[in-house]
């Protein structure tokens, strides 16, 4: 028998089709087994999504645990290669370095010293695992006596005089071998200034990952112990963003892109998933999200009390950040998560 013509076929099918609701539709059909769930999974987390933050300090054979961040340490440079090799073996491709200087001063001189602790760490890591991506945090707060992210005059963080110091710091990191520089200070114009400084110094191939939408967040609490960077007076609300603002974050991102950022960032991550989604929908650049110290410490504390299942909570948190739209996740959970993803 010759088949009915197409038009007729469509008409009969349409007439027979049940409305797309229960009981013909059953959402649970594709949730029945792990194999089915895996086939329709929309977001997948990989160790190469992670950037692992590390705190480096002067001295030798020193690995000091940060009390508010169980499982995180201040590392002396000589102990870094072993940690980095372990991390790389788990499939993590990048680290983010923070430095604890030998001495602090008003202008944060060690930040842009070729013999500074971060510069030493970059060289040591590059020798140990040359293809690991070394990202450096470009900021002054760890290096200044007052603990602010810029030059302070009359109790106010001065924007334009700070730019010069940030440029010196970024160039010094690039000279030591950093693959990406990441300014976290929130001064206006710093991405453009750093781009120009890198280009003039022969580092036109060094990308900038801008902490674009960085909020003045209470979730940085444990980090300030880790990096000894708490402001000695006042707070950072005159340069970091006000938590209630979303549209302002879009402007920050837009400006950083215009100034030459290669990767933009939202920070913190979990309390700002809407901002991550907003940036993803509006812009096409790679997007990083920083799952910050306080987000980490809350999970660790609850897990220590056996109030939550750490493994499941961590993977759920990181998956949510990715689902919201982040391509890269800076997280202290990186090693554990990479291990769990490999089912070890
Ligand atoms: C430096 C800097 C901070 C963090 C990253 N870079 C602290 C701050 O701005 O006070 C926070 C990271 C974290 O909490 O994990 N400006």
């Amino acid at each position: 028998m010759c088949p009915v013509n197409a038009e007729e076929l469509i008409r009969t099918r349409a007439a027979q089709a049940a409305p797309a609701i229960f009981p013909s539709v059953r959402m649970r059909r594709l949730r029945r087994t792990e194999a089915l769930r895996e086939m329709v999974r929309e977001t997948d987390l990989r160790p190469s999504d992670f950037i692992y933050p590390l705190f480096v300090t002067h001295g030798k054979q020193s690995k000091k645990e940060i009390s508010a961040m169980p499982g995180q340490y201040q590392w002396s440079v000589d102990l870094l290669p072993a940690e980095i090799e372990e991390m790389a073996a788990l499939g993590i491709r990048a680290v983010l370095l923070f430095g604890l200087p030998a001495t602090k001063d008003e202008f944060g001189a060690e930040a842009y010293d070729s013999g500074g602790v971060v510069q030493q760490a970059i060289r040591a890591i590059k020798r140990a695992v040359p293809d690991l991506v070394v990202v450096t945090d470009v900021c002054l707060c760890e290096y200044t006596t007052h603990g602010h992210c810029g030059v302070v005059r009359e109790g106010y963080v001065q924007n334009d005089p700070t730019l010069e110091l940030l440029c010196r710091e970024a160039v010094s990191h690039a000279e030591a071998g950093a693959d990406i520089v990441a300014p976290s200070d929130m001064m206006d114009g710093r991405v453009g200034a750093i781009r120009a400084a890198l280009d003039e110094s022969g580092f036109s191939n060094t990308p900038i990952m801008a902490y674009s939408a960085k909020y003045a967040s209470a979730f940085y609490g444990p980090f300030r112990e880790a990096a000894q960077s708490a402001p000695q007076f006042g707070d950072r609300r005159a340069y970091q963003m006000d938590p209630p603002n979303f549209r302002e974050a879009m402007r920050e991102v837009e400006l950083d892109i215009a100034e030459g950022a290669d990767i933009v960032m939202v920070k913190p991550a979990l309390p700002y998933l809407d901002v991550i989604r907003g940036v993803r929908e509006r812009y096409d650049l790679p997007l990083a999200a920083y799952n910050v110290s306080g987000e980490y410490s809350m999970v660790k504390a609850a897990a220590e009390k056996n109030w939550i299942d750490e493994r499941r909570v961590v993977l759920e948190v990181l998956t949510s950040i990715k689902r919201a739209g982040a391509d890269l996740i800076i997280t202290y959970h990186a090693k554990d998560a990479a291990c769990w993803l490999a089912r070890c």
Side-chain angles (χ1 to χ4, degrees):
M1 259 266 276
C2 130
V4 288
N5 70 46
E7 223 172 286
E8 196 179 318
L9 187 67
I10 291 164
R11 248 196 320 272
T12 35
R13 281 278 160 82
Q16 286 162 0
I21 49 165
F22 179 81
S24 66
V25 172
R26 289 181 184 272
M27 297 304 284
R28 292 180 52 188
R29 278 181 200 128
L30 294 176
R31 293 180 199 146
R32 197 170 50 81
T33 68
E34 178 53 21
L36 285 166
R37 290 190 293 272
E38 201 169 335
M39 284 172 72
V40 298
R41 194 157 289 152
E42 298 174 33
T43 306
D44 78 302
L45 204 56
R46 292 168 297 159
S48 57
D49 300 331
F50 305 148
I51 301 176
Y52 189 40
L54 287 171
F55 301 96
V56 294
T57 181
H58 289 277
K60 285 214 161 21
Q61 296 293 309
S62 164
K63 176 185 175 184
K64 193 168 156 239
E65 190 164 33
I66 298 153
S67 64
M69 300 174 72
Q72 301 301 311
Y73 304 86
Q74 293 167 343
W75 299 89
S76 59
V77 173
D78 57 333
L79 295 185
L80 278 178
E83 176 69 2
I84 298 289
E85 279 158 19
E86 203 178 299
M87 199 202 83
L90 289 167
I92 299 166
R93 311 305 309 267
V95 286
L96 172 61
L97 298 182
F98 295 95
L100 290 98
T103 53
K104 300 182 191 246
D105 61 53
E106 207 187 328
F107 300 105
E110 195 179 313
Y112 34 91
D113 182 337
S114 61
V117 72
V118 164
Q119 289 81 349
Q120 289 180 33
I122 299 166
R123 289 190 287 263
I125 293 169
K126 280 292 173 186
R127 267 195 305 271
V129 185
D131 61 355
L132 190 97
V133 177
V134 176
V135 189
T136 57
D137 187 82
V138 174
C139 196
L140 296 172
C141 60
E142 296 109 276
Y143 303 92
T144 51
T145 37
H146 45 70
H148 277 288
C149 304
V151 175
V152 175
R153 220 173 280 152
E154 287 154 18
Y156 186 74
V157 177
Q158 305 289 319
N159 195 87
D160 302 8
T162 300
L163 300 183
E164 166 65 23
L165 302 184
L166 294 170
C167 288
R168 285 167 66 180
E169 184 177 3
V171 169
S172 156
H173 290 172
E175 277 168 356
D179 297 291
I180 300 180
V181 293
S184 70
D185 52 283
M186 290 303 277
M187 297 302 119
D188 287 319
R190 93 276 208 215
V191 172
I194 290 172
R195 182 72 273 152
L198 288 171
D199 291 354
E200 276 164 28
S201 311
F203 297 106
S204 54
N205 275 330
T206 304
I208 298 175
M209 177 166 84
Y211 285 72
S212 302
K214 177 174 177 178
Y215 288 87
S217 170
F219 285 90
Y220 307 153
F223 174 93
R224 293 182 185 169
E225 177 210 326
Q228 293 165 5
S229 66
Q232 298 304 301
F233 68 89
D235 52 43
R236 304 207 201 292
R237 283 183 289 184
Y239 41 105
Q240 298 178 348
M241 284 186 55
D242 200 17
N245 294 358
F246 173 94
R247 298 192 305 265
E248 187 186 345
M250 302 304 120
R251 289 197 69 203
E252 283 285 6
V253 168
E254 189 176 325
L255 289 167
D256 282 356
I257 294 172
E259 288 179 32
D262 300 279
I263 301 172
V264 292
M265 193 199 300
V266 172
K267 176 188 175 187
L270 217 40
Y272 298 89
L273 292 179
D274 57 326
V275 180
I276 294 173
R277 164 62 58 186
V279 174
R280 167 48 64 243
E281 282 175 356
R282 286 173 176 73
Y283 304 102
D284 292 328
L285 268 75
L287 172 60
Y290 200 142
N291 177 224
V292 302
S293 57
E295 299 175 60
Y296 174 84
S297 300
M298 290 194 305
V299 171
K300 294 302 270 191
E304 272 179 13
K305 286 182 175 273
N306 279 321
W307 287 349
I308 55 168
D309 176 335
E310 181 176 358
R311 174 190 173 128
R312 290 188 56 205
V313 166
V314 167
L315 293 176
E316 186 173 335
V317 164
L318 299 176
T319 301
S320 306
I321 296 168
K322 188 127 189 243
R323 189 193 61 230
D327 303 297
L328 299 166
I329 306 171
I330 303 164
T331 178
Y332 304 96
H333 297 292
K335 269 178 74 185
D336 288 338
C339 211
W340 291 326
L341 289 173
R343 306 200 203 298
C344 65

